[in-house]
Amino acid sequence: MAVLHYTLDFKLRAPADVSATVRGLQSIFQEQEMTENVHDSEGHGYLATFVGKNGRFAILRMHSHGLVTFDLQCLEGDDVVQVDNLLNALEKKLKALLDGNIQRIKRLPALIRGSDVDRYWPTADGRLMEYDIDEVVYEKDSPYQNIKILHSQQFGNMLILNGDVNLAESDLPYTQAIMGSGKEHYAGKEVLILGGGDGGILHEAVKLKPKMITMLVIDGCRKHMRKTCGNVLDNLKGDCYEILVQDCVPVLKKFAEQGRTFDYVINDLTAVPISTAPEEDSTWEFLRLILDLSIRVLRPSGKYFTQGNCANLTDALSEYEKLLGRLSCKVDFSKEVVCVPSYMELWVFYTIWKK
C-alpha cells in the first residue's frame, strides 16, 4: 500500500512566537483526534509529531531561523476530503497567526511513495521530476543492465535503463539531434551506430537511403517501442542494415585492424558522466576508448555524432571537451542544445570531425 506525503511550508520574515502559534493550532489537531508528542530539538526551534486515525502521521516544525514546515503522511485509500480539510484548516489558521510575517507559502501535491508504478525519476542534474506514468509495460534484468519500459500519458512508452530515463516515443528531437539535425546527407553513405537499442536512430536512418548501416547493440526494445523503432528491429538484417548483437569494443578494434571505415559514426551508448573526476570514474575511460576507436574507423571527411549531457552540467561537459583534445588524433567539434520532451531539460549534442 502506498503512502501519500503532503507538505505545507511557511517561510517567515522573522522567527515566529512558538508558544502562541502552537496554542493556536491545538484545536485543529484535537478535532482530528491527533495525539501530540513534543521532541527535544536541542535548541533548534519547536518539533512535534502527531499520530491520528487511519494511520495518519504528521510532523510540525518551527525552525529558529523562521521557517514553519508541516509534513503529513497518509495511507493510500484515506479519506481525501478529510485530509484536504485538515491541510486547508492548518493553512488558514497559520495565515491568521503569522499575519504580516509571511514571506512565502508553499503547498505541494502529495508525493506518492511505495506505489506499484514509480512516477518519480531524477533529471541528470539531480532535480526530481514526477511523470504521468500509469503502467509498467515491461521490466527485466538483462546480463548488462536493468530495463524498464513505462507508459506515460504524455510521452508514450519510456525506456529507462538502470534508473535513467533513456528515450520515450515522444523524443524524435533526440534522434534527429544525434544524427545531425537534418543537415547531413546519408544517401549512399556507410554508417556505424553504437548502441541505440531503442531502434530510433536505425529507423530514421534507413529512411535516408544509406548504402549500409552497421549497428552494434547489446539489448533491443523491439516489442514495446514500436512508435520509435517501427519494424527495423524485427530482423537482424535488412536491405541496407545489419544489427550485430555484440559488445562494441572488440568489434571496433577489429574494424580498425581491418581498415574498415565509415562516413558517419553515431554513438548512443552513454551520456557524459556527471562526475568531473576522470580518475575516479571508469566511465570516462570507457568514453575515451570509444572515442579513440571511433575516430580510427572514421573516414577523413566523416563525422562522429554523440550526446553530451544536461546543459546545466557545465563542468562535466567542459571535462568532455578537454578529453576531445587528448585523443590520439586531433579533432574539432561543434555542439547543439536541444529540448528532449521526456527529459524535461535541455540536452547537449556533439558533432566531431578530424582536423
Side-chain angles (χ1 to χ4, degrees), residues 299-318:
R299 289 174 182 160
S301 61
K303 290 183 180 178
Y304 173 91
F305 297 116
T306 191
Q307 61 168 314
N309 209 312
C310 166
N312 283 347
L313 296 175
T314 53
D315 289 344
L317 294 170
S318 177

Side-chain angles (χ1 to χ4, degrees), residues 262-263 265 294-300 302-304 352 354:
F262 300 85
D263 298 290
V265 177
S294 297
I295 297 301
R296 286 175 65 188
V297 301
L298 193 65
R299 289 174 182 160
K303 290 183 180 178
Y304 173 91
I352 300 166
K354 294 178 179 179

Side-chain angles (χ1 to χ4, degrees), residues 194-212:
L194 308 177
D198 51 78
I201 296 171
L202 181 60
H203 179 56
E204 294 302 316
V206 295
K207 298 176 185 177
L208 303 176
K209 303 187 184 306
K211 179 180 179 181
M212 187 63 186

Side-chain angles (χ1 to χ4, degrees), residues 184-186 189-191 261-266 294-295 297-305 329-333 351-355:
E184 303 300 322
H185 300 285
Y186 283 84
K189 302 295 178 63
E190 293 194 65
V191 182
T261 57
F262 300 85
D263 298 290
Y264 295 105
V265 177
I266 304 172
S294 297
I295 297 301
V297 301
L298 193 65
R299 289 174 182 160
S301 61
K303 290 183 180 178
Y304 173 91
F305 297 116
C329 174
K330 290 187 177 182
V331 300
D332 209 342
F333 69 91
T351 302
I352 300 166
W353 60 91
K354 294 178 179 179
K355 282 187 176 180

Side-chain angles (χ1 to χ4, degrees), residues 4-206:
L4 279 67
H5 189 148
Y6 298 86
T7 61
L8 175 62
D9 300 338
F10 281 72
K11 183 173 177 60
L12 308 181
R13 294 185 175 87
D17 183 329
V18 172
S19 298
T21 306
V22 171
R23 283 197 306 271
L25 296 176
Q26 283 178 342
S27 61
I28 295 176
F29 294 117
Q30 289 168 358
E31 288 171 8
Q32 294 288 327
E33 299 178 25
M34 300 186 80
T35 304
E36 178 187 30
N37 186 11
V38 180
H39 302 268
D40 182 5
S41 67
E42 299 183 353
H44 296 283
Y46 170 84
L47 172 63
T49 53
F50 300 83
V51 178
K53 56 187 178 182
N54 299 325
R56 292 175 193 163
F57 176 76
I59 303 171
L60 174 64
R61 184 152 195 180
M62 300 184 65
H63 297 263
S64 55
H65 62 275
L67 176 66
V68 178
T69 61
F70 181 74
D71 294 80
L72 175 64
Q73 295 184 16
C74 305
L75 296 177
E76 187 178 27
D78 199 347
D79 190 319
V80 176
V81 174
Q82 285 186 11
V83 171
D84 205 42
N85 288 340
L86 168 58
L87 292 168
N88 288 339
L90 275 169
E91 185 173 351
K92 182 178 180 181
K93 177 62 79 171
L94 281 167
K95 282 180 179 178
L97 293 168
L98 303 171
D99 183 44
N101 191 22
I102 300 170
Q103 185 174 335
R104 184 174 69 241
I105 302 171
K106 194 68 176 180
R107 179 171 163 183
L108 297 174
L111 184 71
I112 303 171
R113 303 167 68 180
S115 64
D116 292 335
V117 179
D118 190 354
R119 307 188 215 179
Y120 303 98
W121 299 93
T123 59
D125 59 351
R127 292 171 292 114
L128 184 63
M129 293 293 177
E130 180 177 4
Y131 288 84
D132 55 351
I133 291 169
D134 56 13
E135 181 186 358
V136 179
V137 177
Y138 176 85
E139 182 169 8
K140 181 183 178 180
D141 285 312
S142 82
Y144 307 99
Q145 57 200 340
N146 174 261
I147 305 168
K148 289 184 179 71
I149 298 177
L150 309 177
H151 180 262
S152 158
Q153 297 173 53
Q154 291 183 83
F155 306 124
N157 285 351
M158 295 172 55
L159 173 64
I160 296 176
L161 300 177
N162 291 336
D164 290 329
V165 176
N166 199 261
L167 196 82
E169 291 177 323
S170 62
D171 293 345
L172 183 58
Y174 176 101
T175 303
Q176 292 171 331
I178 205 169
M179 292 178 63
S181 296
K183 301 169 188 173
E184 303 300 322
H185 300 285
Y186 283 84
K189 302 295 178 63
E190 293 194 65
V191 182
L192 176 63
I193 301 173
L194 308 177
D198 51 78
I201 296 171
L202 181 60
H203 179 56
E204 294 302 316
V206 295

Side-chain angles (χ1 to χ4, degrees), residues 281-294:
D281 190 336
S282 61
T283 309
W284 282 104
E285 180 56 30
F286 175 73
L287 275 182
R288 188 203 60 76
L289 175 62
I290 296 298
L291 272 164
D292 260 332
L293 288 171
S294 297

